[in-house]
Amino acid sequence: MPCADWSYQRACPGVAVVGPFEGSPQSRSFPFPVPTPPGPWRPSRKGCASGSRDSPTSFRMTLDVGPEDELPDWAAAKEFYQKYDPKDIIGRGVSSVVRRCVHRATGHEFAVKIMEVTAERLSPEQLEEVREATRRETHILRQVAGHPHIITLIDSYESSSFMFLVFDLMRKGELFDYLTEKVALSEKETRSIMRSLLEAVSFLHANNIVHRDLKPENILLDDNMQIRLSDFGFSCHLEPGEKLRELCGTPGYLAPEILKCSMDETHPGYGKEVDLWACGVILFTLLAGSPPFWHRRQILMLRMIMEGQYQFSSPEWDDRSNTVKDLISKLLQVDPEERLTAEQALQHPFFERCEGSQPWNLTPRQRFRVAVWTVLAAGRVALSTHRVRPLTKSALLRDPYALRPVRRLIDNCAFRLYGHWVKKELCGTPGYLAPEILKCSMDETHPGYGKEVDLWACGVILFTLLAGSPPFWHRRQILMLRMIMEGQYQFSSPEWDDRSNTVKDLISKLLQVDPEERLTGEQALQHPFFERCEGSQPWNLTPRQRFRVAVWTVLAAGRVALSTHRVRPLTKSALLRDPYALRPVRRLIDNCAFRLYGHWVKKGEQQNRAALFQHQPPGPLLSIGPEEVKDSATITEDEAAMVLG
């Protein structure tokens, strides 16, 4: 979605609207758009209108209406009011409001985005920029109107103080919401979605238009579950042979050439191929339920993108065909010249029908023989169901995720049991639950748990404070609970390289699976980690001893001061080889990444399907003054060197 637009306060599941670029010039300063941060299973939609998927015609007001949400007066929007009747609010942005509206003549429902463009809110230069950007996007939307898989701009109105954009009202919501509900899609369903998406992209490219912001949030579903591509805020015309250099899009979907172009002034630029890279990321995400490129350290995630580092890991890809893996690998080519075009992708075997690309031309005799073979094959399949080798208890306990039906059953049961991460009957948060709590809830004969559970949680907190990520995490909740019950955690590098063995010992004694071996609160306070550097008791020194200590201290301080001038200089090759080996450099990288990307969620090293979409705009970029320009440029060059290394 365009930066800081109403898209992050859009309609709730069941109701989704789409609109073009938000009219705030400040938001254009953000190079990345801002999708709504989802929860672990389902995105939170507080403050949005609610609509049911089963009864799409029902609406319920849940948005608080403030003074800024009041409807424009008749004089300022006479032409719009004559044709449409605005209703309840279904979304709100920084400087716009999205309402459901009804066409007075036909009674059909649409979504209208109302933007106030007055001198009270924006400067004259900003007003002109907003109007020009909106006109440019409106022109593109009208140029691609009529395609079955692209959102339709119904009407647009402009007055001296307001702009109105009327769109289709998409009641089934976003593809992202649908994926959140389903976790992962089947190849059959993914084939239908991706074929429609690639047809839309092919149509755009044929008209010399590049979208530059393809992602599940910008793909809407209509009443028939057919997709509509939306949000053309970053779209632009691109003539054959022309290249772009602007950095825009969502980080996890950026093509390598966009990143390289922003870091290397000599780079020739990028073209329409960036949309096909994003299609590859979407295809991977729909099938796996998690993005191909993700790392909790954002600078390393960008390096993964630039090097094309991704894996078809188990168990998500065990039951996926080699055909779809081949298509993904050809879309996620780092070299844009080797990447498939939209037309080539549509010709890939993944999109061919099972019986072939052309229907069979059979004689009546051949059709009869095919029917006989089909009946015989169906009979054999029916008989084979009674000959399946029974699943033993030992095999099930050894690897329950080896079988796809069992795996899905476990996931469904886990979701029903724990709901939205927290089971109502259990007290606590899953990541901090002690093993005996989980065992007690699963075994009626378990003796129960006591005060020791608080010390386990203290160990998890201590680990998290020092590492920046929890000790127990897996994107499959049932496996995370197994890690807790077995006490599986690691002091992995580089977070723990510069931590003392004392604190590691304290954590290991707090995270004891057996509560009887776990430290108590009093015992933990007596641990050496909490002792003062000079000992648990003050020194009892004579005046002579104190004088000698003072002399030693002065001599040591002098040697330390001199040693700072004798430190071996850090070479560029050593820094590029392992930037995280040095603690100051590691902290500098983390601080720069935080300033650039805002508050991204840190979920450990494992991939998390929802975490990729939890971005915020790089706010500090707005506050850079003249005195900060030099420092900001230096940091950017350092980051570029690390990623390009």
Side-chain angles (χ1 to χ4, degrees):
M1 291 288 178
C3 307
D5 195 2
W6 52 264
S7 57
Y8 62 88
Q9 294 186 11
R10 53 193 176 272
C12 296
V15 180
V17 292
V18 59
F21 163 65
E22 164 58 39
S24 173
Q26 289 86 350
S27 64
R28 292 291 284 184
S29 300
F30 301 148
F32 302 120
V34 189
T36 306
W41 284 90
R42 184 185 298 276
S44 175
R45 298 294 191 184
K46 294 182 179 180
C48 296
S50 175
S52 171
R53 293 181 185 274
D54 298 329
S55 56
T57 56
S58 62
F59 288 87
R60 179 170 58 87
M61 282 295 296
T62 59
L63 287 176
D64 296 329
V65 180
E68 69 277 5
D69 298 327
E70 295 180 359
L71 287 168
D73 55 50
W74 178 271
K78 180 178 180 181
E79 187 177 1
F80 170 76
Y81 283 124
Q82 287 177 341
K83 194 171 182 179
Y84 296 96
D85 181 18
K87 298 295 183 180
D88 48 296
I89 297 175
I90 56 177
R92 183 187 293 114
V94 176
S95 59
S96 67
V97 175
V98 181
R99 291 179 176 269
R100 182 173 61 92
C101 66
V102 179
H103 192 272
R104 295 182 183 276
T106 63
H108 294 163
E109 291 183 330
F110 299 98
V112 57
K113 180 180 177 183
I114 306 174
M115 295 175 290
E116 184 177 358
V117 284
T118 60
E120 298 177 0
R121 294 176 177 266
L122 305 172
S123 65
E125 294 78 9
Q126 294 172 340
L127 287 174
E128 184 59 30
E129 181 183 350
V130 169
R131 292 182 181 276
E132 180 60 29
T134 305
R135 290 169 188 150
R136 183 170 56 251
E137 185 173 357
T138 302
H139 174 69
I140 292 178
L141 284 169
R142 295 196 183 282
Q143 182 180 350
V144 300
H147 193 278
H149 301 303
I150 297 179
I151 194 69
T152 302
L153 176 65
I154 306 299
D155 273 325
S156 63
Y157 302 94
E158 181 178 350
S159 66
S160 58
S161 54
F162 290 94
M163 300 184 73
F164 300 84
L165 300 175
V166 182
F167 295 90
D168 288 330
L169 184 61
M170 309 298 290
R171 301 182 183 277
K172 294 296 184 179
E174 302 172 356
L175 177 60
F176 175 74
D177 295 331
Y178 183 67
L179 177 62
T180 302
E181 179 183 350
K182 302 279 286 187
V183 179
L185 305 184
S186 65
E187 286 195 26
K188 180 180 179 180
E189 194 170 12
T190 301
R191 182 182 294 109
S192 175
I193 292 174
M194 290 305 302
R195 179 187 285 113
S196 301
L197 176 60
L198 288 170
E199 288 176 355
V201 172
S202 176
F203 178 77
L204 292 177
H205 291 181
N207 287 274
N208 297 323
I209 298 173
V210 56
H211 190 279
R212 297 199 293 179
D213 196 21
L214 296 176
K215 56 184 177 180
E217 293 94 326
N218 291 342
I219 300 173
L220 306 181
L221 300 172
D222 61 16
D223 294 338
N224 299 320
M225 296 301 292
Q226 295 296 314
I227 72 163
R228 295 284 189 93
L229 182 58
S230 67
D231 193 353
F232 287 76
F234 290 130
S235 301
C236 64
H237 285 89
L238 187 66
E239 297 301 327
E242 184 181 357
K243 296 293 183 180
L244 300 171
R245 300 190 60 86
E246 181 184 5
L247 176 63
C248 63
T250 303
Y253 298 86
L254 292 178
E257 56 266 31
I258 297 180
L259 298 174
K260 293 177 182 178
C261 183
S262 66
M263 299 172 183
D264 184 6
E265 294 182 356
T266 63
H267 194 277
Y270 61 88
K272 303 173 185 176
E273 299 84 2
V274 298
D275 286 344
L276 277 303
W277 174 277
C279 287
V281 177
I282 294 173
L283 176 57
F284 187 105
T285 305
L286 293 179
L287 292 171
S290 60
F293 308 103
W294 169 254
H295 197 285
R296 71 181 191 85
R297 296 187 184 276
Q298 290 77 28
I299 200 72
L300 294 185
M301 186 193 75
L302 298 181
R303 172 175 286 186
M304 291 172 61
I305 293 175
M306 295 178 67
E307 297 178 356
Q309 295 180 8
Y310 65 95
Q311 293 180 345
F312 297 113
S313 57
S314 297
E316 293 85 357
W317 291 96
D318 290 346
D319 50 7
R320 302 301 186 184
S321 66
N322 292 328
T323 307
V324 71
K325 295 178 183 178
D326 178 71
L327 175 58
I328 292 174
S329 63
K330 290 181 178 178
L331 289 174
L332 296 182
Q333 286 287 335
V334 175
D335 186 353
E337 295 183 358
E338 298 180 3
R339 201 174 302 155
L340 294 181
T341 65
E343 295 78 7
Q344 291 172 341
L346 287 171
Q347 299 299 322
H348 193 271
F350 176 67
F351 295 107
E352 293 181 1
R353 294 186 296 178
C354 296
E355 65 273 17
S357 57
Q358 299 295 330
W360 288 352
N361 296 317
L362 303 179
T363 63
R365 181 182 180 85
Q366 291 174 326
R367 292 179 183 178
F368 176 75
R369 295 184 65 183
V370 169
V372 172
W373 291 338
T374 303
V375 171
L376 292 175
R380 290 176 180 176
V381 171
L383 291 174
S384 66
T385 58
H386 303 284
R387 302 172 185 172
V388 175
R389 185 178 179 182
L391 179 63
T392 62
K393 181 178 179 180
S394 60
L396 182 61
L397 293 177
R398 183 172 61 253
D399 190 4
Y401 277 90
L403 297 176
R404 184 176 182 181
V406 178
R407 184 165 69 246
R408 291 193 170 181
L409 177 62
I410 293 174
D411 287 343
N412 293 335
C413 292
F415 181 77
R416 292 179 58 189
L417 177 63
Y418 297 102
H420 197 276
W421 279 95
V422 181
K423 181 189 174 187
K424 300 301 185 291
E425 293 80 3
L426 290 178
C427 297
T429 305
Y432 298 84
L433 293 178
E436 56 266 33
I437 297 179
L438 299 175
K439 294 177 182 178
C440 184
S441 66
M442 300 175 184
D443 184 5
E444 295 181 356
T445 63
H446 194 277
Y449 59 88
K451 304 174 183 177
E452 299 84 2
V453 298
D454 289 341
L455 278 302
W456 175 277
C458 288
V460 176
I461 293 172
L462 177 58
F463 186 105
T464 306
L465 292 177
L466 292 171
S469 59
F472 308 104
W473 169 257
H474 197 283
R475 74 178 197 87
R476 292 189 180 275
Q477 290 73 26
I478 198 70
L479 294 186
M480 184 192 72
L481 299 182
R482 172 177 287 185
M483 293 172 62
I484 293 175
M485 296 177 67
E486 297 178 357
Q488 295 180 6
Y489 66 95
Q490 294 178 345
F491 296 113
S492 57
S493 298
E495 292 82 357
W496 292 96
D497 289 347
D498 50 7
R499 303 302 184 185
S500 65
N501 292 327
T502 307
V503 71
K504 295 179 183 178
D505 179 72
L506 175 58
I507 292 173
S508 63
K509 291 182 178 179
L510 289 174
L511 296 182
Q512 285 288 334
V513 175
D514 187 352
E516 295 182 358
E517 298 180 4
R518 201 174 302 152
L519 294 181
T520 64
E522 295 75 12
Q523 292 172 339
L525 288 173
Q526 299 300 321
H527 193 273
F529 176 69
F530 295 107
E531 293 181 1
R532 293 185 297 179
C533 297
E534 63 273 18
S536 57
Q537 299 295 331
W539 287 354
N540 296 319
L541 305 178
T542 64
R544 181 182 180 87
Q545 290 173 326
R546 292 181 181 178
F547 176 76
R548 294 183 66 183
V549 169
V551 172
W552 291 339
T553 304
V554 171
L555 292 175
R559 290 178 180 178
V560 170
L562 291 175
S563 66
T564 57
H565 303 285
R566 301 173 184 172
V567 175
R568 184 178 179 181
L570 179 64
T571 63
K572 181 179 178 181
S573 60
L575 182 62
L576 293 177
R577 183 172 62 253
D578 190 2
Y580 279 92
L582 297 177
R583 186 175 183 180
V585 178
R586 183 165 69 248
R587 289 190 172 182
L588 174 64
I589 295 173
D590 287 342
N591 292 336
C592 293
F594 180 82
R595 289 182 59 192
L596 179 62
Y597 296 105
H599 192 277
W600 280 15
V601 176
K602 299 170 71 175
K603 297 279 189 179
E605 299 296 338
Q606 291 81 7
Q607 289 190 353
N608 173 19
R609 175 180 53 81
L612 177 61
F613 306 104
Q614 303 188 0
H615 305 314
Q616 290 183 359
L621 296 180
L622 294 178
S623 60
I624 294 179
E627 68 279 4
E628 299 175 344
V629 172
K630 183 176 181 181
D631 294 338
S632 176
T634 303
I635 291 174
T636 304
E637 292 175 359
D638 292 342
E639 289 182 339
M642 293 174 193
V643 178
L644 285 172

